[in-house]
Amino acid sequence: SEKEMFAFAPTYVNGQLQGINAIQNQGYSFAISSKNNDNSFLNVLEIPKDSTATDRKLKLFGKVNVEGNLYINGTEITPGGGGSGEDGWNGVYPDIVITQAEKFAWQAWATLRGLGYSESASAGILGNINGEAGPSMNPDTEQIGGPAYGAVQFDGSAYPLVGTPTNDGREYFQRLVEASGVTGDYKEMPTQMKVVNWSMTAGQWIGAVEPTSVDGFKSMSNPQTAATIFERNFERPATTHPERSGYAQTWYNLF
């Protein structure tokens, strides 16, 4: 009978009535469903049969809209910060982000995650930003005495993706922004990460080592390896920098 499947019971605290609970009994599911025109129905919310007080389970189906703030184990989840939202960084920092360098890093992380890069692949790129732009993580950085500019130090002096060779890295990067169709301030991290993403398939990524494909890199699951792969296939230095793997792991651990 229905009484065996679930029950309603008032809840009390210190003798004071607090409310009423709908209680699912073990071995039975409890659901809220939506009905179709043919009288069939599908669940929107379900407590499955194997849910118990010591192992609570909940399933949500369909389009779930959260109006307000969403927290998981006390940590706020922001759009682009932990998933694959199209817009990436939304201008909000989580509580763990304190310094200006961490703010730049979070902007890159959230933008890359929004563009479909895994957590490890995003951290791998952060490790290279740490090596290229330095510990400030400032995207508006020119190479001292050199032709490179930006978070990943774009260099058009030898093999430019757009136009003729130039030693003016800032001007070269602005060429890339225009060619990519990316909008936004070229000096800011979200714009630069979107241009990085564009350049991955515009000739910058050479696929010298596995994973040779951009999609393979974007789905990597080890941040330290991702840092090396990004350096070998995107940065293309004469000599790799193993310390970038450590930087990547540090950013991965933080975010």
Side-chain angles (χ1 to χ4, degrees), residues 123-134 143 152-153 223-249:
I125 294 177
L126 288 182
N128 276 274
I129 294 173
N130 208 149
E132 294 286 340
Q143 182 181 12
V152 298
Q153 293 288 279
Q224 296 194 36
T225 305
T228 301
I229 298 305
F230 185 81
E231 185 177 15
R232 291 287 303 278
N233 287 338
F234 188 96
E235 298 287 358
R236 302 181 264 169
T239 304
T240 57
H241 302 79
E243 68 275 9
R244 296 186 184 185
S245 292
Y247 299 153
Q249 187 67 56

Side-chain angles (χ1 to χ4, degrees), residues 142-143 145-149 153-176:
E142 293 181 339
Q143 182 181 12
Y149 170 80
Q153 293 288 279
F154 276 100
D155 180 354
S157 62
Y159 305 102
L161 298 180
V162 178
T164 58
T166 176
N167 287 324
D168 187 339
R170 186 180 291 270
E171 185 274 330
Y172 172 61
F173 182 72
Q174 290 176 76
R175 288 187 210 168
L176 299 183

Side-chain angles (χ1 to χ4, degrees), residues 1-200:
S1 68
E2 287 87 350
K3 292 182 179 179
E4 294 175 328
M5 292 185 237
F6 70 93
F8 290 99
T11 56
Y12 295 86
V13 175
N14 297 326
Q16 298 295 315
L17 180 65
Q18 299 298 307
I20 188 168
N21 278 14
I23 304 171
Q24 166 253 0
N25 287 328
Q26 293 185 24
Y28 297 95
S29 66
F30 178 82
I32 298 174
S33 308
S34 289
K35 192 175 183 179
N36 291 317
N37 291 331
D38 61 0
N39 288 328
S40 64
F41 59 89
L42 290 172
N43 293 346
V44 177
L45 177 152
E46 178 191 3
I47 300 175
K49 289 182 179 181
D50 58 348
S51 177
T52 67
T54 56
D55 186 18
R56 290 168 291 177
K57 298 180 181 180
L58 174 69
K59 293 182 179 180
L60 299 176
F61 304 88
K63 297 177 181 178
V64 179
N65 180 46
V66 176
E67 295 189 7
N69 299 336
L70 174 64
Y71 292 82
I72 296 180
N73 291 329
T75 300
E76 184 177 6
I77 305 302
T78 59
S84 56
E86 292 180 359
D87 296 331
W89 185 54
N90 66 346
V92 178
Y93 301 103
D95 292 341
I96 57 173
V97 173
I98 299 172
T99 68
Q100 183 58 59
E102 290 168 353
K103 290 180 179 179
F104 284 137
W106 180 264
Q107 292 171 21
W109 170 273
T111 303
L112 291 166
R113 295 286 289 128
L115 291 168
Y117 291 78
S118 69
E119 292 179 337
S120 292
S122 300
I125 294 177
L126 288 182
N128 276 274
I129 294 173
N130 208 149
E132 294 286 340
S136 72
M137 303 294 283
N138 189 348
D140 190 26
T141 296
E142 293 181 339
Q143 182 181 12
I144 299 174
Y149 170 80
V152 298
Q153 293 288 279
F154 276 100
D155 180 354
S157 62
Y159 305 102
L161 298 180
V162 178
T164 58
T166 176
N167 287 324
D168 187 339
R170 186 180 291 270
E171 185 274 330
Y172 172 61
F173 182 72
Q174 290 176 76
R175 288 187 210 168
L176 299 183
V177 175
E178 183 177 1
S180 69
V182 170
T183 58
D185 188 336
Y186 78 90
K187 297 185 294 295
E188 295 183 352
M189 187 68 84
T191 302
Q192 293 199 16
M193 292 303 98
K194 292 174 184 177
V195 174
V196 166
N197 181 61
W198 169 82
S199 63
M200 295 281 274

